[in-house]
């Protein structure tokens, strides 16, 4: 067997190029200089992409060394984690009734928070959508509110609200609701903008006012998108609500924190397992709901209507149960607003000077954690994701194992991972970065696997037919094709990780969150306001930056 | 033609401009009660704009528009809404809400008559539901009443849209290329239905069309528009196809020669 003819060095970023474009006869070097005919013509966009790629690798490495994350630390940390896990078995459920109650509360909090977010998001979405806003200025304000809600992490809201309203589930629910507006408002508004204008014009032409024009001409078109976003958000909020207890905002996180503080690791493991079951169950449920409610287009009315009616009734009942079970007086939702505003008011004017250089150091540390976590996430997720793609996995068993790892990691909220790593390797940014990095597998691994499964099979077949083995198929056919969407997902991961790294400090895993938590605890609200402002700015900048990079790639 | 004393539609010197482009450059038009007038003209000649100025979906830039006694050009939004309840509009793209059932789409036609928001069939009164059902039956789709609108063929969807218009109990029906998105056979069926139902109800119809044959067969009067100006306004009786086709031909003599 002769060596397989190597395909012309596949450019890993080639797929990211818009279309390859017609090869230009001369590089930008000018017509006078002949270029090497075996080198691809210079392309300024290519150069930008290469610089970005190289720069981000360097940046991730620099960030890792800045927070003291290196290979020896990782190896030693691995031993510590193994030791800790050893002390966690056998898992133990000491007070099953109490845990079950807390678990139920946690689910109801996630649900109620999402419902409240929906109630807030619907009017905001209509105000924010270009096609329905009464005035562009109103749209800009509405978009601004939505962006603000997204840029302030839910736990930051929770910390502030617990201060305003005291310990309990109400501040937790409100924090979930407010942060969720950031996502739901945006998705709802996007759906409204995507609605067809025709039916709206038809409704307007029967002679009704603006409200009914939107209700009957737009809402029926966007309901599926809204429901899908709602279900997805409940899923996300459940992951957050299990850790709200860390800041005293109710739910099963209370019990977990108790167990960890008391160093009763077997009990902690029991609770973590309960959380795993909850989150995994919710994921299955949300897939099922989306399938029954949205997928089938049954031409006959009866079944569709029955399903819709039953789901609406179930949601209504669940809503009532939530209020009763959590002991939240619906009136309190309104009457608590002045208290919340009072706390918000006390954060003004934001104070950026009292903490001095410590603040900026913490902020840099936050960025470093986010960057190195993303680096770890990419390094781990790429191979795992490729193995978890049905069309590339060398064996069904490998595929199954890889998918399982991804699923399990996905089910563990990052903050819980962070708690575990803090317990194992001690307080500090290393625990946070490693926890976030490993948590990234659940997110990026899945996206990589899905992206790889979607690539057309032709090129892989071509590589195989010239005698290429598995490795050659992966490097010459799979990765080049999947790269654009993998890079896009990686950037999105960076976004998410930096946002999360701002709250890791709440469990002592480094970053600016610790200062924030301390500031609120010691009632230095203006300092807290300054930190929230910085977090907001950083998240916004990262979002814009990654949006810009993604635009360069597509 | 039994023209009343006062025309139902009276347009004088109607101008409409969009960001500097003139869509209508001073059009006069009268439509008597019970009359069926067809507007002919190339795409972009201003036909759709004219129709939309009649029920206030577009605001006229200048000129007088009186429909059923309402001065559309200076009506308040409340007056406009009241007027629109009496003016049915049939769209080229049907503009049904695809996810809703045919029945609910038809019920939307009755929204202007009831107060308060409605969402879902069961929020409408029994009487209205019965009336909507009768209209669906009239356009021959009773069996499909509870089917999602987007599962129907184009011709069926336009019939549902017609039922929606009837649900408005309009005096005037404005139809904007009602059959342009349909195949010739369905186009014939839908046009036939539209004309028959409107004649039975004694409705006034102003309809834009591309097909000169259909226009000559059904209209009482043809009105031709070219680049926002009226170039033809004659009863169909005695009008030949060539004369009608002239509206198109005169627009671009070069194209006509080439053809």
């Amino acid at each position: 067997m002769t060596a397989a003819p190597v395909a012309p060095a596949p450019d890993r970023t080639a797929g990211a190029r818009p279309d390859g474009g017609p090869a230009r006869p001369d590089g930008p070097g000018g017509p006078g200089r002949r270029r090497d005919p075996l080198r691809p013509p210079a392309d300024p966009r290519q150069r930008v992409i290469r610089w970005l790629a190289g720069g981000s690798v360097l940046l991730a490495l620099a960030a890792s060394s800045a927070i003291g994350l290196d290979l020896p630390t990782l190896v030693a940390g691995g031993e510590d984690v193994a030791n800790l896990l050893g002390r966690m078995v056998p898992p133990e459920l000491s007070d099953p009734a109490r845990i079950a109650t807390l678990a139920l509360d946690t689910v109801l909090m996630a649900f109620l928070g999402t419902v409240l977010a929906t109630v807030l998001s619907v009017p905001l979405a209509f105000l924010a959508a270009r096609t329905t806003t009464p005035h562009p200025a109103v749209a800009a304000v509405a978009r601004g509110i939505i962006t603000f809600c997204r840029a302030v992490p839910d736990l930051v809201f929770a910390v502030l609200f617990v201060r305003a309203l005291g310990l309990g589930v109400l501040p937790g629910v409100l924090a979930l609701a407010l942060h969720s507006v950031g996502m739901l408002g945006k998705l709802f508004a996007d759906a409204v903008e995507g609605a067809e204008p025709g039916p709206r014009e038809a409704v307007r032409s029967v002679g009704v006012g603006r409200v009914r024009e939107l209700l009957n001409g737009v809402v029926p078109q966007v309901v599926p998108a809204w429901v899908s976003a709602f279900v997805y958000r409940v899923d996300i909020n459940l992951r957050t609500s299990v850790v709200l207890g860390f800041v005293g905002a109710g739910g099963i996180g209370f019990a977990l924190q108790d167990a960890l503080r008391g160093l009763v690791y077997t009990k902690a493991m029991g609770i973590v397992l309960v959380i795993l079951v909850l989150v995994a169950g919710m994921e299955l449920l949300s897939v099922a709901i989306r399938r029954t409610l949205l997928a089938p287009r049954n031409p006959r009315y009866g079944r569709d209507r029955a399903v819709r009616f039953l789901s609406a009734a179930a949601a209504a009942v669940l809503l009532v149960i939530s209020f009763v079970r959590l002991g939240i007086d619906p009136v309190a939702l309104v009457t608590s607003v002045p208290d919340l505003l009072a706390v918000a008011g006390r954060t003004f004017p934001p104070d950026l000077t009292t903490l001095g250089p410590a603040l900026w150091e913490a902020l840099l540390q936050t960025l470093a954690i986010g960057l190195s976590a993303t680096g770890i996430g990419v390094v781990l997720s790429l191979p795992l994701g490729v193995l978890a793609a049905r069309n590339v996995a060398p064996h069904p068993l490998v595929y199954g194992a890889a998918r399982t790892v991804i699923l399990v990691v996905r089910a563990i909220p990052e903050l819980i991972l962070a708690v575990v790593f803090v317990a194992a390797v001690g307080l500090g940014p290393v625990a946070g970065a490693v926890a976030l990095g490993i948590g990234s597998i659940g997110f990026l691994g899945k996206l990589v696997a899905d992206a790889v499964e979607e690539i057309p099979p032709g090129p892989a077949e071509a590589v195989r037919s010239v005698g290429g083995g598995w490795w050659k198929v992966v490097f010459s056919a799979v990765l080049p094709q999947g790269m654009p969407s993998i890079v896009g997902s990686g950037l999105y991961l960076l976004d998410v990780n930096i946002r999360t790294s701002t709250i890791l400090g709440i469990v002592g895993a480094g970053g600016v969150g610790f200062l924030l938590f301390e500031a609120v605890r010691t009632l230095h609200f203006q300092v807290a306001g300054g930190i929230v402002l910085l977090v907001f700015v950083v998240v916004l900048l990262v979002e814009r930056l990654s949006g810009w990079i993604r635009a360069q790639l597509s | 033609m039994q023209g009343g004393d006062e025309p139902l539609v009276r347009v004088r010197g109607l101008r409409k401009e969009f960001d500097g482009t003139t869509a209508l450059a001073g059009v006069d038009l009268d439509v008597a009660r019970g009359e069926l007038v067809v507007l002919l003209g190339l795409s972009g000649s201003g036909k759709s704009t004219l129709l939309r100025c009649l029920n206030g979906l577009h605001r006229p830039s200048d000129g007088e528009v009186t429909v059923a006694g309402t001065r559309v050009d200076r009506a308040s939004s409340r007056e406009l809404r009241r007027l629109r309840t009496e003016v049915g509009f049939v769209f080229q793209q049907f503009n049904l809400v695809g996810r809703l059932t045919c029945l609910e789409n038809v019920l939307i036609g009755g929204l202007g008559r009831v107060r308060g928001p409605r969402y879902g069939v069961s929020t409408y009164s029994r009487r209205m539901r019965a009336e909507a059902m009768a209209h669906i039956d009239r356009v021959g789709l009773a069996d499909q009443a509870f089917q999602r609108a987007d599962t129907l063929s184009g011709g069926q969807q336009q019939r549902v849209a017609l039922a929606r218009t009837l649900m408005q109990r309009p005096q005037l029906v404005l139809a904007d290329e009602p059959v342009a998105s349909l195949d010739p056979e369905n186009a014939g069926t839908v046009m036939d239905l539209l004309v028959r139902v409107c004649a039975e109800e004694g409705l006034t119809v102003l309809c834009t069309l591309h097909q000169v044959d259909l226009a000559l067969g059904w209209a009482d009067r043809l009105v031709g528009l070219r680049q926002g100006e009226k170039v033809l306004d004659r009863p169909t009786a005695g009008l030949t196809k060539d004369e009608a086709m002239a509206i198109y031909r005169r627009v671009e003599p070069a194209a006509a020669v080439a053809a």
Side-chain angles (χ1 to χ4, degrees):
Chain A
M1 200 145 81
T2 53
V6 178
D11 187 347
R12 297 270 301 267
T13 51
R17 222 160 35 175
D19 55 358
R24 266 182 286 152
D26 285 301
R33 238 175 50 204
R34 306 274 317 158
R35 61 174 188 81
D36 180 354
L38 292 179
R39 280 176 63 90
D43 177 350
R45 284 175 59 87
Q46 277 295 323
R47 206 175 310 149
V48 170
I49 289 166
R50 269 196 210 122
W51 275 105
L52 282 174
S56 48
V57 169
L58 282 179
L59 205 58
L61 288 176
S64 307
S65 76
I67 58 173
L69 179 67
D70 48 32
L71 224 57
T73 323
L74 275 181
V75 174
E79 282 169 25
D80 291 336
V81 172
N83 281 338
L84 180 70
L85 287 177
R87 278 186 287 160
M88 282 181 153
V89 286
E92 174 197 353
L93 267 187
S94 53
D95 188 352
R98 175 163 172 266
I99 299 294
T101 318
L102 283 174
L104 177 67
D105 284 0
T106 309
V107 175
L108 294 180
M109 283 170 68
F111 176 74
L112 187 56
T114 316
V115 171
L116 293 181
T118 306
V119 171
L120 295 172
S121 296
V122 167
L124 264 181
F126 278 115
L127 295 177
R130 235 180 319 106
T131 49
T132 55
T133 188
H135 191 276
V138 176
V141 172
R143 288 263 176 206
I145 294 174
I146 291 170
T147 309
F148 176 77
C149 289
R150 187 171 56 239
V152 179
D154 23 28
L155 277 168
V156 171
F157 278 132
V159 167
L160 289 170
F161 292 176
V162 165
R163 258 297 150 199
L165 306 172
L167 297 179
V169 290
L170 181 60
V173 168
L174 290 175
L176 286 178
L178 213 53
H179 180 64
S180 303
V181 166
M183 182 181 109
L184 291 186
K186 180 171 188 306
L187 291 182
F188 286 6
D190 289 351
V192 168
E193 284 182 356
E196 283 176 43
R200 226 180 117 187
E201 196 181 22
V203 175
R204 183 160 71 233
S205 71
V206 306
V208 296
R210 197 171 171 77
V211 171
R212 287 194 283 173
E213 174 187 330
L214 298 180
L215 177 66
N216 296 91
V218 178
V219 172
Q221 295 189 62
V222 297
V223 158
W226 285 8
V227 170
S228 157
F230 174 84
V231 173
Y232 183 43
R233 190 68 217 186
V234 173
D235 202 28
I236 296 176
N237 279 347
L238 180 63
R239 279 156 220 251
T240 312
S241 66
V242 300
V243 294
L244 280 174
F246 290 178
V247 296
I252 199 169
F254 265 147
L256 180 59
Q257 204 178 29
D258 272 358
L260 286 169
R261 283 222 179 111
L263 306 180
V264 198
Y265 290 116
T266 50
K267 222 164 124 187
M269 190 62 175
I271 297 168
V272 168
L273 286 182
V274 170
I275 290 173
L276 273 183
V277 171
L278 274 187
V279 175
M282 185 63 217
E283 173 132 1
L284 290 180
L285 185 68
S286 77
V287 168
I289 291 177
R290 263 178 285 185
R291 220 169 260 168
T292 36
L293 268 188
L294 307 171
R297 301 183 13 153
N298 199 333
R300 281 286 151 192
Y301 189 49
R303 201 197 74 99
D304 255 19
R305 189 157 79 145
V307 168
R308 254 185 270 162
F309 180 78
L310 284 178
S311 335
V317 169
L318 198 56
L319 186 61
V320 173
I321 294 179
S322 307
F323 276 116
V324 174
R325 171 77 215 121
L326 296 176
I328 295 177
D329 180 0
V331 181
L333 296 177
V334 183
T335 53
S336 64
V337 170
D339 293 333
L340 299 183
L341 288 179
V343 163
R346 287 171 69 187
T347 61
F348 279 95
D351 174 356
L352 293 172
T353 48
T354 305
L355 288 172
L359 176 59
W360 305 104
E361 243 165 64
L363 198 65
L364 276 181
Q365 193 178 61
T366 304
L367 286 174
I369 293 174
L371 273 169
S372 41
T374 309
I376 296 174
V378 169
V379 169
L380 294 177
S381 302
L382 263 183
L384 194 66
V386 168
L387 293 178
R390 195 191 300 272
N391 52 347
V392 179
H395 191 277
L397 276 179
V398 176
Y399 163 77
R403 279 279 172 179
T404 310
V405 170
I406 290 174
L407 265 181
V408 169
V409 174
R410 243 168 91 78
I412 313 175
E414 290 93 348
L415 224 50
I416 300 230
L417 275 178
V419 167
V420 171
F421 279 96
V422 165
V425 305
L427 296 170
V430 172
V434 175
L436 262 192
I438 289 184
S440 306
I441 296 175
F443 179 84
L444 189 59
K446 180 173 188 306
L447 290 180
V448 169
D450 291 350
V452 169
E453 281 184 356
E454 269 170 29
I455 62 171
E461 222 164 73
V463 175
R464 240 176 260 126
S465 73
V466 297
W470 188 83
W471 289 101
K472 291 212 173 71
V473 168
V474 167
F475 278 98
S476 305
V478 173
L479 288 180
Q481 287 192 88
M483 204 42 84
S485 70
I486 292 174
V487 170
S489 308
L491 283 168
Y492 187 40
L493 177 70
L494 178 65
D495 233 53
V496 173
N497 276 347
I498 287 187
R499 212 173 300 179
T500 315
S501 67
T502 58
I503 55 170
L504 285 173
I506 287 171
V507 296
V512 79
F514 176 72
L515 293 179
L516 175 69
F517 199 41
E518 282 303 298
V520 174
R521 211 172 55 80
T522 54
L523 304 180
H524 290 99
F525 285 104
Q526 296 184 352
V527 174
I531 298 173
V532 171
L533 183 71
L534 282 182
V535 167
F536 173 70
V537 170
V538 165
V539 168
L540 209 62
L541 284 180
V542 170
E543 205 178 284
R544 288 284 144 84
L545 181 69
S546 73
W548 177 78
I549 296 179
R550 260 175 287 184
Q552 295 299 303
L553 295 179
S554 63
Chain B
M1 271 196 292
Q2 81 285 23
D5 302 323
E6 185 72 7
L8 187 63
V9 175
R10 186 170 181 280
V11 178
R12 288 294 175 272
L14 172 60
R15 294 180 58 81
K16 176 67 187 175
E17 280 162 21
F18 295 101
D19 303 324
T21 34
T22 305
L24 293 172
V27 172
D28 296 343
L29 180 70
D30 284 327
V31 182
R33 278 181 197 280
E35 205 180 8
L36 196 168
V37 175
V38 167
L39 282 172
L40 289 174
L42 282 174
S43 307
S45 60
K47 305 184 306 272
S48 298
T49 309
L50 176 55
L51 289 191
R52 281 172 168 76
C53 283
L54 294 185
N55 75 345
L57 284 179
H58 290 341
R59 280 274 176 181
S61 305
D62 192 22
E64 263 179 49
V65 178
T66 313
V67 175
T70 303
R71 274 292 294 271
V72 180
D73 50 306
R74 51 162 94 140
S76 68
S77 57
R78 175 188 292 270
E79 286 170 320
L80 266 187
R81 287 208 295 274
R82 201 199 49 71
L83 172 70
R84 283 182 196 151
T85 63
E86 298 183 3
V87 179
F89 207 110
V90 180
F91 298 86
Q92 177 180 348
Q93 293 301 336
F94 333 129
N95 288 357
L96 300 178
V97 181
R99 280 189 60 252
L100 301 183
T101 60
C102 298
L103 183 64
E104 194 169 351
N105 269 293
V106 174
L107 282 165
I108 284 176
L111 271 182
R113 262 185 279 144
V114 294
R115 286 182 165 279
R118 311 279 152 146
Y119 193 90
V121 171
S122 47
T123 57
Y124 294 88
S125 70
R126 258 197 107 65
R127 267 237 310 283
M128 282 184 79
R129 275 183 272 168
E131 187 185 340
M133 207 59 188
H135 289 308
I136 294 184
D137 193 27
R138 192 163 182 192
V139 299
L141 291 170
D143 287 345
Q144 280 83 13
F146 289 102
Q147 221 164 297
R148 277 172 60 139
D150 57 7
T151 61
L152 270 54
S153 73
Q156 289 173 323
Q157 289 196 37
Q158 192 61 299
R159 276 145 71 190
V160 173
L162 184 59
R164 178 177 64 192
T165 301
L166 291 175
M167 188 73 193
Q168 275 181 258
R169 300 182 192 154
Q171 302 184 43
L172 171 67
V173 173
L174 305 173
D176 185 17
E177 305 284 2
V179 297
S181 306
L182 305 177
D183 62 67
E185 194 182 326
N186 269 309
T189 319
V190 167
M191 231 12 237
D192 197 32
L193 187 68
L194 174 77
V195 172
R196 189 162 46 79
V197 168
C198 290
E200 284 167 13
E201 299 286 320
L203 305 181
T204 311
V205 180
L206 186 56
C207 174
T208 67
L209 277 183
H210 270 311
Q211 298 92 327
V212 175
D213 288 331
L214 289 180
L216 283 171
W218 271 299
D220 297 323
R221 187 150 59 96
L222 289 191
V223 172
L225 284 183
R226 194 211 314 157
Q227 292 175 347
E229 287 178 52
K230 194 163 82 172
V231 294
L232 176 85
D233 189 348
R234 276 176 58 182
T236 35
L239 191 69
T240 67
K241 190 176 174 187
D242 279 347
E243 285 172 295
M245 287 301 282
I247 302 166
Y248 295 99
R249 230 172 267 145
R250 267 183 295 171
V251 177
E252 280 178 292
V257 171

